[in-house]
Amino acid sequence: GKRTLLIDCDLRKSSIARVFGLEKEPGVTDVIVGNHSWRNVVRTVTDIVGTGMGMGEIVQIPGGDNLHIITSGTIPPNPTELLDSRHMADFVSEVREAYDVVLFDSVPILHVADAAILGKMMDCAIIVCRAGDVARSSLKRSTRLLRSVGIEILGVVINGTRADLTGDFQDPNYNAHYTYGSD
């Protein structure tokens, strides 16, 4: 029920537009350089429906009608400088006032400074990784890096878990792990 804005700030290899079947431009970069107002580049459920994603798929997204999206825009030659600009800070302030929840998707934390720069403007960060793709040592380094620049970590989301990766998911039978009243 909360008005939510998802912003693609991966200005190197963006994916939000592709996932939702939207045009990438105009987007965040166009807002930061002053070519568009952020309000004019916000996409809604109406835009998603117009891209071929069926209404049935959209209805399955809880709160989909409250989801607004700003895509990355044109991939710039200087993503770090754009994210570390006064215009970006002003943009972040404005969208925070207009929405209940604002989610910023960024590049992986260990690759470039973009995520750390962006993270300093946020209330907290959520680390997202794919099971089996990220070494434990990389996850620990990511956590240390975020904390070293004063970014609070809200949690970790692990995508792509499969039953064959861990024994924890092999027996979906409820009683196999827990029985009421037993020792």
Side-chain angles (χ1 to χ4, degrees):
K2 294 185 181 217
R3 283 181 37 92
T4 302
L5 178 63
L6 172 61
I7 303 173
D8 191 349
C9 279
D10 183 341
L11 304 184
R12 296 171 191 274
K13 191 177 177 185
S14 62
S15 62
I16 299 296
R18 181 177 34 82
V19 168
F20 287 96
L22 299 167
E23 292 294 320
K24 193 165 50 170
E25 300 167 13
V28 168
T29 56
D30 304 290
V31 171
I32 298 170
V33 299
N35 292 340
H36 289 276
S37 159
W38 70 265
R39 284 177 169 74
N40 294 334
V41 301
V42 171
R43 299 342 192 285
T44 64
V45 69
T46 307
D47 299 303
I48 297 170
V49 169
T51 65
M53 187 181 229
M55 192 55 144
E57 292 172 286
I58 294 168
V59 172
Q60 290 178 11
I61 302 171
D65 55 332
N66 286 327
L67 176 63
H68 296 171
I69 299 169
I70 297 179
T71 56
S72 63
T74 308
I75 300 298
N78 58 345
T80 304
E81 290 83 9
L82 280 180
L83 293 173
D84 200 20
S85 69
R86 181 81 220 138
H87 294 291
M88 181 64 182
D90 292 343
F91 165 66
V92 170
S93 294
E94 288 181 33
V95 296
R96 288 175 87 171
E97 294 212 8
Y99 287 87
D100 300 319
V101 176
V102 182
L103 302 169
F104 289 82
D105 181 44
S106 75
V107 298
I109 185 72
L110 295 179
H111 294 211
V112 289
D114 300 9
I117 289 168
L118 189 60
K120 288 181 180 183
M121 296 180 222
M122 306 297 122
D123 293 331
C124 60
I126 299 171
I127 297 173
V128 179
C129 61
R130 180 165 300 286
D133 283 358
V134 178
R136 188 174 295 181
S137 60
S138 295
L139 192 54
K140 287 180 180 180
R141 275 194 354 238
S142 299
T143 303
R144 280 195 304 271
L145 177 60
L146 289 169
R147 287 186 177 143
S148 74
V149 293
I151 299 169
E152 178 186 350
I153 300 169
L154 185 62
V156 177
V157 174
I158 302 174
N159 288 331
T161 56
R162 298 187 325 255
D164 59 339
L165 290 179
T166 175
D168 295 340
F169 302 107
Q170 288 179 355
D171 188 353
N173 183 346
Y174 179 80
N175 291 328
H177 299 289
Y178 177 80
T179 305
Y180 182 77
S182 72
D183 292 333

